Amino acid sequence: MFTKIQVLTFFATLTPTSGGAPDLCDVVYTDTGRPILCEPHRDGAPIYDDTVCCEGRSCVGARDGRCSAGEPFYCELGEQWATGAVTCYFEVPDFCEAFPCKPGFQSQPQANYMCCHGGVCWNTYGASNDCELQDIYWCDDGVTNEDGTVTCFD
């Protein structure tokens, strides 16, 4: 039995690690599990599949997978803007696919992500860190009510 353990240890030391940059969306608030530097996006977010260099909350595309400044991170879903800045995304479910939506139509719909607890939703996701990962949804056609809650329509 001692020989088997020794062989496995030897094999493990020869097995290379991936050595790749950590996933940017794996950097999360410990109390909510919500990504700190990635933004929510409805299902079907654009694929970026490359390395980004981040300083603070700002990320730019890496040149040849290397960063001249900032820390390297992997970004699976995202898009690069004309300024060179990159926004990385994590996908969130559509509210109307998870819950019944109200029938109706808004002449100026507010498509955005929102934070929902117990069937009550707010569009305060961006202003608050207390929204847990599993409480973030996308709403294609919503309206903010006078009390600050959001109603999502079909």
Side-chain angles (χ1 to χ4, degrees):
M1 184 174 238
F2 177 76
T3 306
K4 287 182 185 178
I5 293 173
Q6 210 172 22
V7 169
L8 287 176
T9 304
F10 178 73
F11 179 76
T13 58
L14 293 178
T15 306
T17 59
S18 67
D23 192 313
L24 184 64
C25 293
D26 287 344
V27 179
V28 300
Y29 292 103
T30 55
D31 56 341
T32 62
R34 183 180 128 198
I36 297 171
L37 299 174
C38 290
E39 293 294 323
H41 193 285
R42 67 189 297 178
D43 287 335
I47 296 173
Y48 185 76
D49 192 27
D50 207 349
T51 302
V52 295
C53 304
C54 300
E55 287 188 272
R57 293 188 174 269
S58 300
C59 298
V60 297
R63 294 186 183 256
D64 299 322
R66 299 181 183 265
C67 296
S68 59
E71 293 184 52
F73 288 94
Y74 173 72
C75 178
E76 179 183 6
L77 304 173
E79 45 194 332
Q80 187 165 16
W81 306 100
T83 61
V86 175
T87 302
C88 294
Y89 301 120
F90 64 96
E91 291 181 320
V92 296
D94 187 284
F95 182 83
C96 292
E97 290 179 12
F99 301 100
C101 281
K102 303 249 186 221
F105 171 76
Q106 283 294 326
S107 59
Q108 296 180 354
Q110 297 177 6
N112 211 341
Y113 43 86
M114 57 189 181
C115 185
C116 302
H117 297 285
V120 179
C121 301
W122 297 268
N123 62 357
T124 57
Y125 166 83
S128 171
N129 293 335
D130 63 352
C131 187
E132 295 187 10
L133 183 61
Q134 70 272 10
D135 294 333
I136 304 169
Y137 294 90
W138 179 263
C139 180
D140 272 325
D141 187 10
V143 62
T144 302
N145 304 310
E146 288 182 23
D147 64 357
T149 60
V150 174
T151 300
C152 196
F153 298 104
D154 277 331

